[in-house]
Amino acid sequence: MKLVLFSALILLSLEAVFSATPLLFQHPLDPLTKEEIKDVQTIVQKKYPTSSNRLSFHYIGLDEPQKDAILKWESIKPTIITVPRKAFAIAIINSITHEIVIDLKVRRIVSDNVHNGNGFPTLSVDEQSVAIELPKKYGPFLESVKKRGLNLSEVVCSTFTSGWFGETINRRTVRVECFMKENTPNIWVRPISGLTIVVDLELMKIVEYHDGGIIPVPTDDNTEYRLSHQNPPFSPKQKSQATHQPEGPGFKISGHSVSWANWKFHIGFDPRAGVVISLASIYDSEKHKSRRVLYKGYISELFVPYQDPTDDFYYKTFFDAGEFGFGLSTVPLVPNRDCPSNAQFLDTYVHQADGSPLLIEKAVCVFEQYGNIMWRHTETGIPGQPFAESRTEVNLVVRTIVTVGNYDNIIDWEFKASGSIKPAIALSGILEIKGVDIKHKNEIKSDQHGTLVSANSIGVYHDHFYIYHLDLDIDGVSNSFEKTNLKTVRVTDGSSKRKSYWTTVSETAKNENDAKIILGSSPGELSVVNPNKKTAVGNDVGYRLIPAIPAHPLLTNDDWPQIRGAFTDFNVWVTPYNRTEKWAGGLYVDHSHGDDTLAVWTKKNRDIENKDIVLWHVVGIHHVPAQEDFPIMPLLSTAFELRPTNFFERNPVLKTPSPKDAPWPGCSN
Ligand SMILES: *[C@@H]1O[C@H](CO)[C@@H](O)[C@H](O)[C@H]1NC(C)=O
Ligand SMILES: *[C@@H]1O[C@H](CO)[C@@H](O)[C@H](O)[C@H]1NC(C)=O
Ligand SMILES: [Cu+2]
């Protein structure tokens, strides 16, 4: 078992040896350190003393250096950082949203602008924990609890962002919903339905309350999921797990930089995006050099619209990254459970509402994964000399888990020595349940907008749409987006016994409109190529997107949530690189009006040919809940692949030996 608290260790040793210049070995894309977050707090509080201002931080992250500065730094790797080190903070100061850039080297504010547009910043964890206590001191709510015969001490509440439905009132409000924790930790399946509770976060009080009538709270029967609280009969026991690396791991983590097999990349961490993979390059052993593939990749937004239009649920149209923060919602990984025993962990810091740093231990893990075949062939065609050549695949996985309320998002970045990057998502956790007065399917008279997963419990229909920001730099920054369509050709001139065949027709996207793709309608391949670099036989070097199973939004285009989540209108988009276009649903997503989305930016229809471009890929899951998702759901997963396509001269793992067979401890043969 190797539990190495990397950032903690490195910080300690740096502090010990170089306490005067703690930034010496910092990578310019490293997340803000504990000290840097504190510096931001101190510097902003100096301008806005908390004695006379109401100040809360909703984002404190790295203000990313200009891309050309990073690329220059990467190419010469000076030991002393020459790249600026700045922080970006979003703070609400006396109910006004400020965007503040702080220079961390000279320790001062370089800009402080007020946000006047639509939408509000990411909610802070702290304000949500205050908001959820309000109902328990609110007369009408106490009345509702009493009327239902519920025990107030067993009530817990949670906050839910409330979306935007065309209204002009501009208040930072949030919905609060309450649940019963009596006899079960599975609060999400025991909602007190029928109540509307709206909290104004600036006033920090309940501004709207409505009791729509008594709906039974689903019982606690069969809702427990902790093994320690289960009773027999148990399922067959699983045998011991095997991850045994007698020679140690095949990867090295230095600070936040990872090197493994032919790959090198950097793991950043952002309070909003969570894990950010940067500067991923692969070593080409024929060309004897490292070739860049991905400048930056992260999940830009997650849109989860529920499909129940009734009072209790219509507003549930969540944007988890922008409203709650993937980074802020990252949970410590459980060693040997969330990550195998050969994993190494990275800690990270995020900010709290008052600006002080908060440690998330084991926020990210990195491990090698075995068990698949890399390539193989059994040759039976040479008479008398059959042989088999089979190579074992080892992959490197970077994993993080984001738990937003009831749902757990397991987010993986898998790297393959063959050059592929496979980002994967898996969902687990607990369904969002609506309480109903129905115990059996035969009592259902009208659309309940979900599946009856247990008595009195509807698992409401919904989607999960993740959008990845993939700033690919295939062997350089100037790239093009190519669509290779497969087309049927009819043989009409009698030249063949065949009547038809298929061939490819390639087309380079000139502008953003050419690159808006709805997948599934016609076969083809999508790739990002570098038209300035060719293989020896003349193909453009490239990487292909093997997309996830496509999911398309089913809401109408004029529906408010769909306007806000319009980045789901297409499965694939390509934009010219623009440092400010980071968040596909907009920088301010809470109560957003959809005026700062990828769909709006691309209306300019900018040129994207032979330019620095960003590929956006929407990975979606339509979720029709099933009984097996109750009381807690087994992993539901989806993935896509970025795969080298004429990038290498030939199979890049042709000469990669399989890993050595490890002798098992306590085993003599
Ligand atoms: C209400 O819940 C509290 C806390 O669990 C418990 O101590 C108390 O006995 C309960 N009251 C009733 C009337 O069940
Ligand atoms: C970058 O994006 C922002 C937001 O879409 C836009 O206002 C700005 O004009 C863009 N810059 C360039 C150079 O296109
Ligand atoms: Cu779901």
Side-chain angles (χ1 to χ4, degrees):
M1 197 163 72
K2 269 190 206 70
L3 309 180
V4 186
L5 305 179
F6 269 86
S7 36
L9 267 183
I10 282 152
L11 273 177
L12 271 180
S13 58
L14 275 179
E15 267 167 19
V17 186
F18 304 101
S19 55
T21 50
L23 295 182
L24 196 56
F25 293 145
Q26 198 171 42
H27 188 290
L29 295 177
D30 279 355
L32 296 188
T33 63
K34 180 181 173 186
E35 288 71 24
E36 288 173 329
I37 294 171
K38 266 193 206 151
D39 283 351
V40 170
Q41 180 191 35
T42 309
I43 293 162
V44 174
Q45 281 182 354
K46 204 166 141 203
K47 180 167 178 189
Y48 300 102
T50 47
S51 52
S52 50
N53 295 281
R54 213 155 44 82
L55 166 66
S56 62
F57 288 91
H58 295 259
Y59 179 88
I60 299 178
L62 177 70
D63 184 47
E64 212 181 282
Q66 298 289 341
K67 185 167 172 179
D68 51 6
I70 296 282
L71 293 180
K72 197 165 146 211
W73 176 86
E74 237 245 333
S75 65
I76 52 175
K77 282 269 167 65
T79 39
I80 308 282
I81 287 200
T82 50
V83 179
R85 184 79 179 163
K86 292 183 197 160
F88 179 58
I90 295 178
I92 299 181
I93 305 170
N94 307 319
S95 298
I96 297 191
T97 301
H98 289 245
E99 297 172 358
I100 305 172
V101 177
I102 297 109
D103 187 321
L104 293 165
K105 283 188 180 163
V106 298
R107 302 172 53 87
R108 67 181 174 81
I109 292 175
V110 290
S111 68
D112 179 354
N113 297 315
V114 166
H115 162 65
N116 285 317
N118 294 316
F120 299 112
T122 306
L123 274 62
S124 77
V125 174
D126 309 65
E127 67 188 350
Q128 293 177 72
S129 48
V130 178
I132 60 173
E133 295 303 326
L134 296 176
K136 291 190 229 165
K137 288 169 272 171
Y138 186 70
F141 178 76
L142 303 183
E143 203 49 40
S144 298
V145 169
K146 203 168 150 201
K147 217 163 70 184
R148 286 166 172 77
L150 302 172
N151 183 345
L152 185 67
S153 320
E154 299 285 359
V155 172
V156 285
C157 302
S158 184
T159 47
F160 297 79
T161 45
S162 49
W164 177 68
F165 297 87
E167 67 274 9
T168 47
I169 346 151
N170 229 8
R171 303 282 314 169
R172 218 159 63 83
T173 53
V174 74
R175 289 266 195 149
V176 175
E177 210 188 313
C178 301
F179 306 85
M180 294 305 290
K181 66 174 173 63
E182 201 173 22
N183 304 325
T184 181
N186 200 340
I187 55 172
W188 308 108
V189 300
R190 304 203 63 210
I192 308 173
S193 295
L195 304 179
T196 302
I197 311 170
V198 180
V199 169
D200 184 313
L201 290 172
E202 292 304 311
L203 304 172
M204 200 42 94
K205 63 179 235 200
I206 295 173
V207 290
E208 198 186 322
Y209 185 83
H210 177 68
D211 185 341
I214 299 177
I215 294 160
V217 174
T219 72
D220 55 72
D221 291 350
N222 301 312
T223 61
E224 177 63 73
Y225 51 84
R226 292 169 299 179
L227 190 60
S228 56
H229 288 66
Q230 302 291 1
N231 299 317
F234 289 99
S235 314
K237 202 174 153 91
Q238 307 196 61
K239 297 280 188 192
S240 53
Q241 49 176 334
T243 317
H244 176 52
Q245 292 181 308
E247 289 174 69
F251 60 92
K252 234 176 74 190
I253 307 179
S254 146
H256 288 79
S257 299
V258 179
S259 57
W260 168 80
N262 39 9
W263 282 103
K264 272 197 170 79
F265 59 91
H266 179 271
I267 305 175
F269 194 89
D270 179 83
R272 177 155 175 177
V275 159
V276 179
I277 302 292
S278 296
L279 295 168
S281 304
I282 188 162
Y283 188 77
D284 184 331
S285 56
E286 283 199 34
K287 292 199 161 67
H288 305 290
K289 62 173 188 172
S290 233
R291 301 169 68 195
R292 172 142 331 106
V293 175
L294 181 70
Y295 176 71
K296 190 160 77 158
Y298 60 93
I299 294 174
S300 174
E301 193 52 88
L302 163 57
F303 178 36
V304 188
Y306 280 81
Q307 303 300 328
D308 179 342
T310 60
D311 279 358
D312 264 14
F313 257 78
Y314 79 91
Y315 70 88
K316 294 193 176 188
T317 50
F318 307 125
F319 291 86
D320 283 352
E323 291 175 339
F324 298 101
F326 262 32
L328 296 178
S329 308
T330 292
V331 293
L333 296 160
V334 182
N336 298 326
R337 296 289 169 265
D338 292 330
C339 313
S341 55
N342 60 326
Q344 295 187 14
F345 295 86
L346 285 136
D347 295 349
T348 199
Y349 282 93
V350 291
H351 65 278
Q352 301 180 82
D354 68 355
S356 54
L358 176 74
L359 173 68
I360 304 177
E361 280 185 75
K362 303 187 185 70
V364 184
C365 74
V366 181
F367 59 90
E368 287 170 296
Q369 199 166 53
Y370 304 85
N372 290 326
I373 297 167
M374 188 156 71
W375 58 259
R376 77 171 316 289
H377 181 60
T378 298
E379 186 48 73
T380 56
I382 307 171
Q385 297 169 19
F387 69 92
E389 180 80 10
S390 179
R391 304 281 173 86
T392 303
E393 187 174 67
V394 183
N395 297 320
L396 188 75
V397 178
V398 177
R399 175 169 295 167
T400 188
I401 299 184
V402 172
T403 302
V404 185
N406 50 322
Y407 261 109
D408 299 65
N409 303 274
I410 298 146
I411 298 161
D412 283 3
W413 288 82
E414 183 181 292
F415 291 83
K416 291 175 182 287
S418 60
S420 284
I421 303 177
K422 261 180 96 167
I425 293 282
L427 281 167
S428 191
I430 296 153
L431 287 174
E432 203 140 322
I433 294 290
K434 181 166 95 152
V436 288
D437 207 352
I438 294 169
K439 284 195 154 54
H440 190 277
K441 199 174 172 189
N442 62 19
E443 297 163 32
I444 296 177
K445 302 265 173 345
S446 59
D447 192 349
Q448 293 299 315
H449 313 291
T451 309
L452 191 66
V453 291
S454 180
N456 303 110
S457 310
I458 295 283
V460 178
Y461 304 139
H462 60 278
D463 307 294
H464 304 258
F465 290 112
Y466 302 81
I467 182 164
Y468 282 79
H469 170 112
L470 302 161
D471 182 356
L472 293 165
D473 279 4
I474 305 301
D475 224 359
V477 291
S478 292
N479 289 175
S480 293
F481 180 63
E482 205 168 84
K483 299 183 275 184
T484 302
N485 299 314
L486 310 190
K487 278 181 92 159
T488 303
V489 182
R490 248 191 185 287
V491 181
T492 50
D493 61 0
S495 62
S496 168
K497 287 195 193 300
R498 288 269 294 272
K499 290 189 173 140
S500 66
Y501 59 94
W502 65 256
T503 191
T504 63
V505 182
S506 290
E507 185 191 330
T508 301
K510 302 265 184 280
N511 50 48
E512 290 174 299
N513 284 349
D514 288 347
K516 293 177 178 172
I517 310 286
I518 293 178
L519 291 167
S521 48
S522 58
E525 298 202 334
L526 302 173
S527 45
V528 172
V529 299
N530 187 331
N532 316 296
K533 299 259 172 80
K534 311 231 182 262
T535 59
V537 296
N539 291 310
D540 286 352
V541 306
Y543 257 70
R544 175 160 43 119
L545 170 72
I546 302 180
I549 297 167
H552 310 290
L554 292 156
L555 297 180
T556 59
N557 282 329
D558 63 345
D559 199 358
W560 308 108
Q562 193 54 36
I563 293 169
R564 301 174 65 220
F567 59 83
T568 59
D569 289 351
F570 295 92
N571 302 106
V572 175
W573 311 66
V574 179
T575 57
Y577 172 80
N578 177 326
R579 191 169 165 272
T580 63
E581 293 179 352
K582 287 168 73 168
W583 311 109
L587 176 57
Y588 297 98
V589 191
D590 177 33
H591 290 78
S592 70
H593 295 193
D595 47 21
D596 179 27
T597 70
L598 177 57
V600 172
W601 311 334
T602 54
K603 283 200 175 129
K604 290 182 221 156
N605 197 20
R606 295 163 291 192
D607 288 346
I608 53 167
E609 191 179 1
N610 204 3
K611 290 213 151 47
D612 188 0
I613 54 176
V614 175
L615 179 74
W616 304 79
H617 182 36
V618 176
V619 173
I621 297 175
H622 299 297
H623 195 170
V624 177
Q627 283 188 250
E628 289 79 1
D629 299 345
F630 184 93
I632 191 161
M633 54 182 271
L635 250 58
L636 183 64
S637 48
T638 179
F640 65 97
E641 182 173 345
L642 297 164
R643 185 179 171 97
T645 299
N646 305 322
F647 184 84
F648 295 106
E649 291 297 336
R650 56 192 56 76
N651 178 352
V653 284
L654 183 69
K655 300 183 190 175
T656 306
S658 294
K660 238 169 55 189
D661 299 324
W664 281 99
C667 202
S668 56
N669 54 343

